[in-house]
Amino acid sequence: MTAPAPEDSAAHMQAVDAAHRYRLLNHGPAVLVSARSRGVAGVMAAAWACMLDFDKLSVVIDKSAATRALLEESGHFAIQVPTAAQAALVHWLGTHSLHDDAQKLAHAGVRLLEPPQSPPDAAPLVAGCAAWLSCRLLPEPRNQSVYDLFIGQITSAWADARIFDRGHWLFENAPPHWRSLHYVAGGHFYATGEAVDVPEAVQPGRPA
């Protein structure tokens, strides 16, 4: 298995059914947030994103982020799960603003994909990631203003079939560069670790 390459992401994108979409984010990875409005696309990194239930998620986006304004204008955004091979890109996108560099995405070498079978105002997707969730903003003005907290209704989701298949991540059987990232601070990440499976019939403190 080779490192994920932006140029072949589309060839391996596989739709994830509604029952399994929550599994794309349930392990708490750092994510990339994308949005587009008036022909301008933005992508930023976010450390605080999580599932709320089977078809809704939340993400914290600071008021200073240019991508936040695009999200609010369009009412749509996408959450992507980047890989360890993209750690430098994730950090760069999280420390450079579209406010300061109108060519931010070009300078970062970001390649965008159009989400399959989605409305024209849907957010673009970042090529090379392990998974993508296309969302419609569920407006909560107070949460957004006071807590910088945005809630999205997941309308579609996809994953790279080489790393997510039949509702399960394959991290433990894949090379390290495929693992998702968990951000701490100052450019310091941890990659997803080994799997620990517990038989459903086993109760704590009682032998199987």
Side-chain angles (χ1 to χ4, degrees):
M1 189 179 292
T2 58
E7 60 271 15
D8 68 359
S9 290
H12 296 277
M13 286 180 73
Q14 176 176 278
V16 177
D17 62 85
H20 293 138
R21 290 171 183 170
Y22 75 97
R23 296 182 181 180
L24 298 175
L25 286 187
N26 237 21
H27 62 300
V31 301
L32 294 177
V33 183
S34 60
R36 177 171 53 199
S37 179
R38 296 172 284 107
V40 177
V43 180
M44 60 170 283
W48 298 312
C50 70
M51 295 300 302
L52 295 178
D53 57 26
F54 288 99
D55 63 353
K56 287 184 284 296
L57 57 80
S58 66
V59 60
V60 174
I61 306 176
D62 190 81
K63 292 177 179 65
S64 64
T67 302
R68 169 172 169 158
L70 301 175
L71 185 164
E72 291 177 311
E73 290 172 6
S74 68
H76 293 266
F77 64 99
I79 296 290
Q80 344 337 252
V81 179
T83 68
Q86 296 173 300
L89 173 65
V90 173
H91 188 253
W92 200 94
L93 291 171
T95 53
H96 291 74
S97 174
L98 199 63
H99 286 309
D100 304 319
D101 181 3
Q103 299 301 314
K104 170 185 172 178
L105 301 189
H107 292 158
V110 171
R111 178 170 173 258
L112 298 176
L113 304 171
E114 291 302 317
Q117 301 178 338
S118 293
D121 50 0
L125 309 178
V126 178
C129 292
W132 307 262
L133 300 101
S134 187
C135 302
R136 174 175 57 85
L137 177 65
L138 297 177
E140 292 286 347
R142 186 173 186 277
N143 283 343
Q144 293 165 201
S145 175
V146 178
Y147 303 111
D148 297 329
L149 181 68
F150 290 78
I151 297 175
Q153 175 83 47
I154 302 169
T155 56
S156 300
W158 307 267
D160 192 309
R162 295 170 292 181
I163 191 63
F164 187 89
D165 186 47
R166 288 175 288 185
H168 292 281
W169 285 111
L170 308 176
F171 293 128
E172 65 272 28
N173 299 317
H177 55 248
W178 270 107
R179 298 191 174 192
S180 59
L181 297 166
H182 301 264
Y183 189 60
V184 181
H188 188 66
F189 294 85
Y190 283 96
T192 303
E194 298 298 323
V196 178
D197 291 316
V198 178
E200 293 185 9
V202 174
Q203 296 182 18
R206 182 175 299 177

